[in-house]
Amino acid sequence: MNKLMIGRYLPGDSLVHKMDPRGKIVLVFYFIWLVFFADNVWSYLTVGLFTLLAVLLTRIKLIYFWRGIQPAIFLILFTVLIQVFFTRGGQVYWAWGPFALSSAGVVNAWFIFFRLVIIIAMSTLLTLTTSPLDISGALSSLMTPLKWVHVPVDIIALMLSIALRFVPTLMDETVRIMNAQRARGVDFGSGSLAQQIKAIVPILIPLFVSAMHHAEDLDDAMTARGYRTDAPRTAFRVIQWHQRDTLSVVAFAALTAVVFLVRMP
Amino acid sequence: MLYHQKEGEGQMTEEAPIITMENVTVRYAEQEQPALDGISLTIPAHSWTALIGHNGSGKSTLIKALDGLVTIDGGTMTVAGLTVNEENIWQIRRRLGVVFQNPENQFVGATVADDVAFGLENAQVPRPAMVDRVAAALEQVGMTAYAEREPAHLSGGQKQRVAIAGILALAPDIIALDEATSMLDPEGRASVLRTIRTLKAQENLTILSVTHDLEEAAAADHVIVIDNGHLVASGTPPEIFAQGAALIDMGLSVPFTEQLKTDLEAGGITLPAGYLNEEEMAAQLWKLYSTM
């Protein structure tokens, strides 16, 4: 569990950490879209260098980014191999039935490889440098326009933040229930598939019941502190847009210009 | 300091009542016996009242009824001069802050500061004022250094201090503690109670504490005993604890000094009648020792 880097957050005070989370989310998604426009060595070099620069700016050790890519390594190799053996074009070196090794295939495989690595590195960068709290704040802020179509944005935002806040609580509880059931002789992770699924029930039901208790108590506590779903509220946590965020938008605009300039005509 | 002076003088009953209950009955749908059965009581302003009783005696229900979290089936209640009803309930919730039993389940915010701000957000306090009040409340409970911490990294006692800060920020008149120290270790319990005691004196609060802890009850100005939804006794701690055996019959225990007295008397050593607090007990023991 500790090895998994997906969704992990590493606190820090680098330039990337301090960016407005709304801007960061939008720009990362934009970047992923942009990567698909790269179609030659120069454009890949541009987005690749940009990614490397962004990664270096986080001042997070490269090993963490490597760990982000690790779980996807088989997927990357698989895709690359399919590209290598099934693409025909350019000079064909070797062919056998549907398989072929061609210059176009090799080039395509390299491109796919870089594309996947860059996308994973950039999304790892987003989660490593943005706290879940900031992500939920940013998402609710980005959802604000949906108020016009009567989406209860504030309630969704509160639900999201409560859900995030209870993740560690429920994780602890799961471990406690598992240990309590183990102490009573329940065997997890062995036996046939059907037996293993059955062994989950003594975890799931107590967890479900205790989640209900949490909810009831939290409901009382929130009501006692004056929370009303229909009443307007003020906000304690506000996200601020700084000059560095404007600069990062400018950097992404420049990157876009370069990518489109060096693209094949 | 104020608190200690008042404790000695025992003049609490002269203050105007801040909470009154008259013939209050609460019946839960799934239970045959009512949780509260015709409870009538008054709680004077600026006092510390302890509500004791065994599990299921209706203590928590009483607090929830005052805060409108359970609906009453009969009787009337007033809190801070307002009748408890649909119309007044949100105003009453501003005047009466409740700290619940489980520190984990009442932590709404993602961080300490967010949690303290939750009530203020609901009260639509503008952000600049909110920042000041959150900082001040955290200062009062000694949690300033933890403002940006997440609840998962706090101890039970620290979470309860945050819960208290969240209520203090709203500047209530009354703080009700619904077994707020029952899930804490002795150290956490002592420190939370110390905080409450200091705050009571500083802010001139009224404290209503529901508790199992008799040492906590012994420190109150006034003790109310409820049993099976009925009010069975009410008085100052010495008056209540002098009933020793009757308390044990109700499923409660007696404070340490009372226990010591019973044990000494069983060993043939007689002490003066009535409840003795720790200091008085120590004085009595010195006296005994010098005459032996």
Side-chain angles (χ1 to χ4, degrees), chain B residues 96-287:
Chain B
L96 169 72
V98 187
V99 182
F100 292 94
Q101 178 174 23
N102 190 330
E104 190 69 51
N105 292 359
Q106 56 183 313
F107 209 112
V108 190
T111 66
V112 167
D114 285 281
D115 190 65
V116 175
F118 181 73
L120 295 170
E121 291 178 326
N122 296 332
Q124 295 177 59
V125 175
R127 189 173 182 276
M130 194 144 57
V131 173
D132 294 343
R133 282 167 75 170
V134 167
L138 284 175
E139 175 83 51
Q140 277 180 300
V141 299
M143 290 290 289
T144 306
Y146 298 85
E148 288 306 313
R149 294 282 186 92
E150 288 168 29
H153 301 131
L154 301 178
S155 72
Q158 289 171 331
K159 278 181 217 158
Q160 280 309 39
R161 284 153 171 279
V162 175
I164 295 166
I167 280 156
L168 275 181
L170 286 163
D173 298 325
I174 313 158
I175 292 188
L177 303 160
D178 187 1
E179 296 191 39
T181 59
S182 69
M183 293 178 90
L184 307 181
D185 56 34
E187 210 174 299
R189 178 178 301 182
S191 103
V192 166
L193 285 175
R194 237 187 345 261
T195 308
I196 302 250
R197 196 160 296 149
T198 319
L199 290 171
K200 177 183 179 287
Q202 279 173 1
E203 310 284 318
N204 215 2
L205 294 163
T206 306
I207 309 280
L208 174 59
S209 77
V210 165
T211 183
H212 276 293
D213 181 20
L214 292 169
E215 309 301 327
E216 184 181 330
D221 302 317
H222 208 73
V223 178
I224 293 170
V225 187
I226 63 173
D227 188 31
N228 280 330
H230 296 277
L231 193 147
V232 291
S234 158
T236 60
E239 284 165 17
I240 298 292
F241 294 133
Q243 302 181 7
L247 285 177
I248 295 171
D249 287 345
M250 277 183 275
L252 292 164
S253 52
V254 289
F256 171 70
T257 50
E258 197 62 30
Q259 186 65 50
L260 181 63
K261 196 167 130 188
T262 317
D263 291 348
L264 286 173
E265 276 164 2
I269 298 168
T270 41
L271 286 161
Y275 171 71
L276 302 167
N277 65 27
E278 277 178 35
E279 271 170 46
E280 288 163 347
M281 177 56 94
Q284 284 298 331
L285 290 177
W286 278 117
K287 212 156 122 191

Side-chain angles (χ1 to χ4, degrees), chain A residues 9 131-133 136 158 161-162 164-166 168-169 172-173 210 213-238 240, chain B residues 64 67 69 90 93 96 98 100 102-111 113-127 130-131 134 148 151-152 163 166-167 170:
Chain A
Y9 165 60
S131 73
L133 188 62
S136 80
L158 188 70
S161 100
I162 290 174
L164 280 171
R165 173 249 165 284
F166 270 96
T169 308
D172 285 352
E173 216 152 79
S210 97
H213 284 300
H214 284 308
E216 260 175 59
D217 283 0
L218 192 67
D219 175 27
D220 279 347
M222 286 171 69
T223 311
R225 283 161 74 185
Y227 178 74
R228 277 190 269 189
T229 41
D230 49 354
R233 308 174 69 225
T234 48
F236 174 67
R237 194 167 285 272
V238 288
Q240 265 168 339
Chain B
K64 285 185 181 170
D67 209 29
L69 297 169
W90 294 102
R93 283 173 184 154
L96 169 72
V98 187
F100 292 94
N102 190 330
E104 190 69 51
N105 292 359
Q106 56 183 313
F107 209 112
V108 190
T111 66
D114 285 281
D115 190 65
V116 175
F118 181 73
L120 295 170
E121 291 178 326
N122 296 332
Q124 295 177 59
V125 175
R127 189 173 182 276
M130 194 144 57
V131 173
V134 167
E148 288 306 313
I167 280 156
L170 286 163

Side-chain angles (χ1 to χ4, degrees), chain A residues 8-28:
Chain A
R8 260 274 230 109
Y9 165 60
L10 293 175
D13 64 344
S14 74
L15 207 58
V16 187
H17 279 93
K18 284 190 287 191
M19 265 176 76
D20 184 320
R22 290 169 301 183
K24 213 175 345 183
I25 289 174
V26 171
L27 287 177
V28 165

